[in-house]
Amino acid sequence: ALILLCSSAAAVVVWKWLGKRQIHKKMEEARRTRDEGVKKMAKAVQQFREQVPSVQMDAILSLPLLELTGRLREGSLSPKTVLYTYLEKALEVTQQTNCLRHFIPECEEQLQEIQRQREKGLLYGIPVSIKDHICHKGHLSTCGLVQCLGTVVQEDSVLVKVLKRQGAIPFAMTNVPQSLFNYDCSNPIFGQTLNPFNHQKSPGGSSGGEGALIAGGGSILGIGSDIGGSIRLPSSFCGLCGLKPTAERLSAWHTCLLNVDMCSCPTPVPCALGPMARDVDSLALCMKALLCQEMFRLDPTVPPIPFNEEVYSSSASLRVGYYDTDGYFPLPPCMRRAVQETKEALQAAGHQLVAFSPPRIHYVMTELFLKTFFADGGRAWLDVFTGGIVDPSLQSQVNCCKIPRLGKKLLALILKPLQFLLLLLLKLKNVAMISTCRSVKEMWNHHHEIEAYRTEFIARWRELQLDVVLCPVLGPAFTTGYPGKLLTAISSTMLYNVLNFPAGVVPVSTVTEADEEELKLYQGCCDDPWDRMLKQAVAGAVGLPVAVQCVALPWQEELCLRLMKEVETLSCEK
């Protein structure tokens, strides 16, 4: 019996070893395929440079999107020249930041296809980068997970089809954090993406590859996704403009292969796809191009609402609600400074500013947002980590989800009496995840609570007769490794995912020496370990971008962009 037991144990060990070996082979193969693709693209770029040595690369890269589209449409620049210029720059940026997951070699075929189209679309000849999990035919959609490495996508996502119909050329897929559930940008397969302005810093996430590539100059327009800040946080960290639309405004069909994918599963806090670029006009043009009959035809669940140019171009004064803290996770001094300076600039420009306070953020964060994703205690999420391969940036969250339900209940019981003193149930991510839905009835109640909160929030908005809201966004860029330890610091962005309001980010300033000095006095809520950790995460950021967030009511993307444009214009005049 003892021999049989030992043999069984040995067999289990060998089986596990073989499984891990197979997983590592898959990961090595994926990296090898990526590296070979980079070499092939570098060779193609070199051949183009030899054929057309007179290309003024810097001049092309410096053109804003609106000017570039004009030059392409009139024929003074060729789509091929623009594509290879951005391919060359993307090669340079990814060498420095590891922002690309894969080049799309079919971009050459799309280049030929747009020249056969009878009408030039709004994005004619524009190279576009897309986030890893937005499906492109013939390529993987990995989400940084081993389980997705063997399945090649059979069909373009609706968004990619519409981009191509409008003349855009998808040329690269960008890196993401493992499982997308992190606002750093690291996974065990393709590694850590770095911020192009400071390689000690994160580009944000989960659209971090997009943030690094665009900020580094290797793409002029990118498509990301956002379920807690995943467009807005990389935009904040990398000094970009990014828009999270109302979730259903753009199609999210065919955006991932995961069983737990937040972009394809029905959830009360939905995922939104949206554009990222260097300026607000680029976002507006992208939205205008995507909100076309082709999208409404391909995805009948998208409301057929074309882009309202009149609202975006209006010069009427706005009634703007504002706040510089939500009272949950106080942000660094430079981010609050940015809101105050922007508020004063808007006031001076003739807009009406009204103090606004979002209700019950502690409740929203713990009972509405985190409970949506960890309703089952995180079991479905844990299932995606094949073979136990977990990126270090996610390890603390994974460990927490592995605590048995009885252990979580005991922790909750012990800590609950202390919450009014220590706010532990409100800020500690490990305890926040304890909140689960224990029955179908409780899940339905949870959905109802989210709808009730939306109603309450809109009622407060309308009481003040607001058009839009100006508020802070998390930043400046965190040092790599810190985002995974501070999940609940994203309250400034996640609020508008719970509400499903359009929200965008605009850079308005940079971190100054005075900001860095003031940070030394930062105590947050109660100078607890998480406040001190935030202080460490953002330290050493002098010169890095500082942004603000602009928000509108659902389906009012054009109004949100209008405020963003006004903020951008005023910040440029400073």
Side-chain angles (χ1 to χ4, degrees):
L2 184 61
I3 293 170
L4 185 62
L5 188 64
C6 290
S7 300
S8 299
V12 168
V13 169
V14 170
W15 180 75
K16 282 189 174 181
W17 177 79
L18 288 172
K20 289 233 175 187
R21 189 180 174 192
Q22 193 63 32
I23 287 167
H24 283 287
K25 275 189 175 180
K26 274 189 175 183
M27 291 164 64
E28 286 166 12
E29 178 62 29
R31 285 191 285 269
R32 187 160 50 248
T33 301
R34 190 264 309 264
D35 294 344
E36 286 170 2
V38 167
K39 286 176 186 173
K40 284 179 184 174
M41 198 54 77
K43 188 176 179 181
V45 166
Q46 181 61 35
Q47 287 172 347
F48 175 77
R49 293 288 285 176
E50 288 168 3
Q51 291 165 7
V52 193
S54 60
V55 171
Q56 299 295 311
M57 184 173 164
D58 290 342
I60 292 170
L61 293 171
S62 68
L63 291 173
L65 181 61
L66 262 63
E67 192 174 339
L68 182 59
T69 54
R71 298 277 295 274
L72 284 162
R73 291 171 74 83
E74 73 185 18
S76 61
L77 276 175
S78 76
K80 186 169 186 176
T81 298
V82 172
L83 174 62
Y84 277 90
T85 295
Y86 271 97
L87 284 169
E88 184 172 353
K89 186 63 178 178
L91 282 162
E92 179 189 316
V93 176
T94 198
Q95 189 173 25
Q96 295 167 355
T97 65
N98 189 38
C99 59
L100 289 188
R101 203 266 294 160
H102 198 65
F103 277 109
I104 300 172
E106 294 87 346
C107 62
E108 184 66 42
E109 294 171 22
Q110 175 63 4
L111 184 64
Q112 305 304 320
E113 177 60 32
I114 64 168
Q115 290 166 347
R116 290 192 291 268
Q117 289 175 352
R118 278 182 288 180
E119 289 184 22
K120 292 179 179 177
L122 291 176
L123 296 173
Y124 174 75
I126 298 298
V128 176
S129 49
I130 58 175
K131 188 175 178 176
D132 162 281
H133 75 117
I134 298 170
C135 295
H136 190 291
K137 184 179 178 181
H139 293 272
L140 298 172
S141 179
T142 72
C143 299
L145 291 161
V146 174
Q147 74 174 66
C148 297
L149 288 179
T151 312
V152 173
V153 173
Q154 299 302 309
E155 183 182 6
D156 285 340
S157 64
V158 167
L159 205 84
V160 168
K161 287 178 181 176
V162 177
L163 285 169
K164 288 180 176 179
R165 183 64 178 265
Q166 287 285 15
I169 305 173
F171 75 100
M173 303 183 81
T174 50
N175 202 28
V176 293
Q178 188 180 26
S179 82
L180 309 183
F181 204 76
N182 193 357
Y183 61 100
D184 205 338
C185 192
S186 175
N187 65 71
I189 307 164
F190 303 109
Q192 172 79 52
T193 299
L194 306 174
N195 190 304
F197 299 125
N198 181 334
H199 292 176
Q200 305 302 312
K201 297 290 184 177
S202 169
S206 60
S207 309
E210 283 300 320
L213 182 62
I214 299 167
S219 176
I220 195 167
L221 180 65
I223 305 294
S225 64
D226 192 311
I227 199 165
S230 294
I231 286 172
R232 290 161 291 158
L233 294 171
S235 296
S236 171
F237 285 18
C238 294
L240 301 175
C241 296
L243 175 70
K244 178 205 82 69
T246 311
E248 299 82 4
R249 190 81 195 261
L250 297 177
S251 174
W253 278 14
H254 311 301
T255 52
C256 199
L257 302 174
L258 282 181
N259 292 331
V260 296
D261 172 39
M262 301 304 182
C263 291
S264 58
C265 295
T267 161
V269 180
C271 176
L273 302 189
M276 299 167 67
R278 297 196 297 248
D279 57 60
V280 179
D281 279 340
S282 299
L283 304 182
L285 178 62
C286 184
M287 290 298 289
K288 189 175 180 179
L290 291 174
L291 294 170
C292 64
Q293 288 306 313
E294 183 74 356
M295 175 165 285
F296 307 145
R297 182 184 69 80
L298 290 170
D299 185 351
T301 68
V302 173
I305 309 169
F307 188 81
N308 191 329
E309 182 67 41
E310 188 180 341
V311 171
Y312 177 60
S313 303
S314 170
S315 57
S317 66
L318 297 168
R319 188 171 167 86
V320 184
Y322 73 92
Y323 60 92
D324 65 5
T325 180
D326 61 17
Y328 179 77
F329 214 122
L331 297 183
C334 61
M335 307 313 286
R336 298 180 75 167
R337 169 179 65 80
V339 173
Q340 289 298 328
E341 289 178 355
T342 304
K343 170 222 163 191
E344 289 164 13
L346 286 166
Q347 246 170 349
H351 300 285
Q352 192 174 358
L353 277 291
V354 181
F356 177 72
S357 179
R360 301 192 292 149
I361 300 299
H362 297 83
Y363 164 77
V364 176
M365 194 68 193
T366 55
E367 290 301 316
L368 301 186
F369 181 72
L370 288 169
K371 198 170 183 177
T372 294
F373 303 110
F374 297 96
D376 63 350
R379 286 193 297 277
W381 183 56
L382 289 176
D383 288 345
V384 306
F385 297 101
T386 307
I389 306 292
V390 178
D391 193 82
S393 64
L394 282 175
Q395 194 64 61
S396 61
Q397 287 155 245
V398 168
N399 289 344
C400 162
C401 288
K402 285 181 177 177
I403 299 171
R405 179 167 287 192
L406 180 60
K408 290 177 183 178
K409 283 181 178 177
L410 286 170
L411 269 175
L413 193 65
I414 293 164
L415 291 169
K416 200 152 193 172
L418 303 176
Q419 66 177 331
F420 70 99
L421 292 173
L422 303 178
L423 299 175
L424 281 174
L425 288 178
L426 303 175
K427 291 183 68 176
L428 177 55
K429 62 181 178 292
N430 292 7
V431 181
M433 291 179 187
I434 290 169
S435 190
T436 60
C437 292
R438 289 163 292 185
S439 67
V440 173
K441 182 181 178 184
E442 201 169 311
M443 177 63 85
W444 282 120
N445 286 341
H446 174 61
H447 284 226
H448 171 73
E449 285 164 1
I450 289 177
E451 288 304 319
Y453 181 77
R454 284 176 182 150
T455 302
E456 176 188 349
F457 195 99
I458 290 169
R460 183 172 292 194
W461 183 297
R462 287 194 164 144
E463 268 175 39
L464 296 173
Q465 298 179 317
L466 303 178
D467 295 314
V468 283
V469 161
L470 170 74
C471 57
V473 60
L474 182 62
F478 279 27
T479 300
T480 54
Y482 276 93
K485 301 170 186 174
L486 286 163
L487 175 62
T488 52
I490 64 170
S491 60
S492 60
T493 50
M494 73 79 216
L495 171 63
Y496 296 105
N497 294 93
V498 171
L499 291 166
N500 196 14
F501 284 15
V505 160
V506 189
V508 295
S509 181
T510 55
V511 180
T512 65
E513 293 284 0
D515 290 327
E516 199 77 4
E517 284 300 310
E518 199 174 343
L519 179 65
K520 292 175 183 176
L521 306 175
Y522 170 89
Q523 292 189 326
C525 256
C526 39
D527 200 25
D528 64 17
W530 293 274
D531 291 322
R532 291 194 287 275
M533 195 179 290
L534 179 72
K535 195 171 170 177
Q536 293 164 11
V538 300
V542 172
L544 291 183
V546 170
V548 296
Q549 185 171 209
C550 303
V551 185
L553 289 173
W555 311 107
Q556 297 293 325
E557 282 71 20
E558 296 87 346
L559 198 55
C560 182
L561 287 164
R562 162 80 208 288
L563 176 61
M564 291 170 70
K565 179 66 179 175
E566 189 77 5
V567 168
E568 178 184 60
T569 302
L570 293 170
S571 70
C572 290
E573 291 173 358
K574 285 195 293 188

